[in-house]
Amino acid sequence: MNLIQFDGARVKNDSLIYEFSQDNKPALTIKSGEEVLLETCDCFEDQLSSEHDELDKLDWDHVNPATGPVYVEGAEPGDVLKVEILKIELADEATIMTGEGVGVYGEKLSDGLSVRYAKVHDNILEWDDKVAFEIDPMIGVIGVAPAGDPVNTGTPGSHGGNMDNTMVREGATLYFPVSAPGALFAAGDMHAIMGDGEIGVSGAEIAGEILVRLTVVKGLEISDPVLIDQDDFSTIASADTMDEAAKKAVINMIELLKPRLPLSAKDITMLLSLAADVEVCQMVDPQLTMRYVISRDVLDAYDFEFEPQL
Ligand code: CA
Ligand code: ZN
């Protein structure tokens, strides 16, 4: 693949992990603040394509790979890794899967799993001869080594992982709590487009390239991922149920805002109750992921700063 013009560090799509783990050997070591390009496989590790549709031969031990990990010098447990998504480019064909036993409707479907393929070109995904979508590329799996035991790359958590959050797109900045020296960042599982919830268990799964800048932030405390883009500030949380995940995202947001806004906890709660939205990331993975989203305009009115000001 050579989709993004970039002369710096590159991790090829044969450096793959299937679990986020403190024990993973780095594929690459960089300095804080450097950019790195990751080549990513689709969530089926590119095993399926319209030219050789061999669903029955799909090796399920090789799904949801993430490219990496990247060791960022200076990152220590207790720090935060800031991930700026500078650019995303996609391959030219997406794979979509659903069927019996998977996703929200899987118990009503029969005859195993089915796939279909969709061409992606000129920012368009061709669904059929009636419907085409403008693509909205996003990264499904992105994160760092977790605290404690390894977590497979199909499962989201406080370390990130398979969050399937449609806001993880070009231009977004993510913050992850660092639990291992070097943070051990990895990403994969891109989607050309995905609806919030990902109810059928897949988006438009597609390979591609991601250019990120990775920066260690000291003196910032977070328990779960935070995402900031041009418009919004959001907290992301995963749990056994959507209720728990949503509650965690809301509580995390209020805890982050309390020391950063000149308002009481009650005033912050009232403000958010008027203006912030609880939204679904995905409802089909082993843990479910929700986000809580507030417009930056509201926060900027109070000169809100998320990162510690040096
Ligand atoms: Ca995913
Ligand atoms: Zn995916």
Side-chain angles (χ1 to χ4, degrees):
M1 265 189 291
N2 218 331
L3 303 170
I4 297 177
Q5 285 302 321
F6 180 66
D7 294 331
R10 173 180 288 258
V11 185
K12 291 195 162 293
N13 59 8
D14 55 3
S15 293
L16 298 175
I17 60 168
Y18 302 92
E19 52 183 30
F20 285 91
S21 166
Q22 306 208 6
D23 299 326
N24 284 339
K25 298 259 176 306
L28 175 77
T29 297
I30 64 166
K31 291 190 165 52
S32 174
E34 286 186 343
E35 296 175 12
V36 55
L37 186 147
L38 306 181
E39 297 180 357
T40 63
C41 299
D42 73 16
C43 73
F44 307 112
E45 205 170 311
D46 305 342
Q47 296 178 78
L48 303 174
S49 86
S50 55
E51 273 149 44
H52 55 98
D53 178 2
E54 295 179 330
L55 185 54
D56 50 334
K57 296 203 184 99
L58 180 66
D59 176 356
W60 287 96
D61 289 336
H62 284 244
V63 296
N64 276 311
T67 302
V70 178
Y71 185 106
V72 185
E73 286 179 357
E76 297 295 336
D79 294 342
V80 165
L81 186 71
K82 176 182 183 180
V83 179
E84 294 166 87
I85 302 171
L86 304 175
K87 190 136 191 65
I88 291 175
E89 288 288 343
L90 302 178
D92 57 9
E93 184 177 80
T95 304
I96 305 139
M97 173 185 280
T98 196
E100 190 177 352
V102 301
V104 174
Y105 195 66
E107 61 196 47
K108 303 234 185 223
L109 297 172
S110 51
D111 302 322
L113 298 173
S114 297
V115 282
R116 52 188 288 170
Y117 301 98
K119 291 288 174 207
V120 175
H121 61 86
D122 304 314
N123 291 322
I124 297 291
L125 178 141
E126 293 176 9
W127 168 251
D128 62 13
D129 58 2
K130 301 212 187 311
V131 172
F133 298 105
E134 188 170 339
I135 60 171
D136 187 4
M138 54 157 285
I139 304 170
V141 174
I142 186 166
V144 297
D149 291 337
V151 179
N152 71 65
T153 44
T155 302
S158 295
H159 67 292
N162 194 13
M163 300 185 291
D164 288 317
N165 179 350
T166 53
M167 289 177 71
V168 183
R169 57 164 76 91
E170 191 176 295
T173 297
L174 284 129
Y175 296 83
F176 296 101
V178 174
S179 298
L184 302 177
F185 171 80
D189 180 34
M190 288 210 282
H191 303 152
I193 187 167
M194 186 197 99
D196 286 335
E198 201 187 25
I199 63 99
V201 95
S202 89
E205 307 293 334
I206 193 162
E209 293 180 351
I210 307 167
L211 181 64
V212 290
R213 183 186 296 122
L214 304 178
T215 307
V216 180
V217 181
K218 305 275 181 189
L220 176 61
E221 215 171 295
I222 57 174
S223 59
D224 292 272
V226 168
L227 186 150
I228 304 177
D229 64 17
Q230 211 167 343
D231 301 321
D232 298 301
F233 177 84
S234 61
T235 50
I236 308 165
S238 301
D240 288 335
T241 66
M242 293 167 77
D243 301 28
E244 291 168 84
K247 201 168 169 186
K248 188 153 82 158
V250 169
I251 290 169
N252 287 349
M253 169 80 79
I254 296 173
E255 295 297 336
L256 288 173
L257 295 187
K258 271 197 313 196
R260 291 176 174 83
L261 295 183
L263 298 173
S264 70
K266 283 178 182 164
D267 282 340
I268 291 171
T269 305
M270 287 190 263
L271 180 68
L272 292 176
S273 195
L274 303 189
D277 295 317
V278 173
E279 297 176 353
V280 181
C281 296
Q282 57 75 25
M283 53 190 294
V284 293
D285 293 333
Q287 295 269 288
L288 311 186
T289 307
M290 304 287 283
R291 61 179 181 247
Y292 194 43
V293 184
I294 178 78
S295 164
R296 286 179 61 176
D297 287 345
V298 174
L299 302 179
D300 287 347
Y302 297 98
D303 298 323
F304 173 78
E305 299 279 2
F306 180 56
E307 292 184 37
Q309 297 305 297
L310 303 173

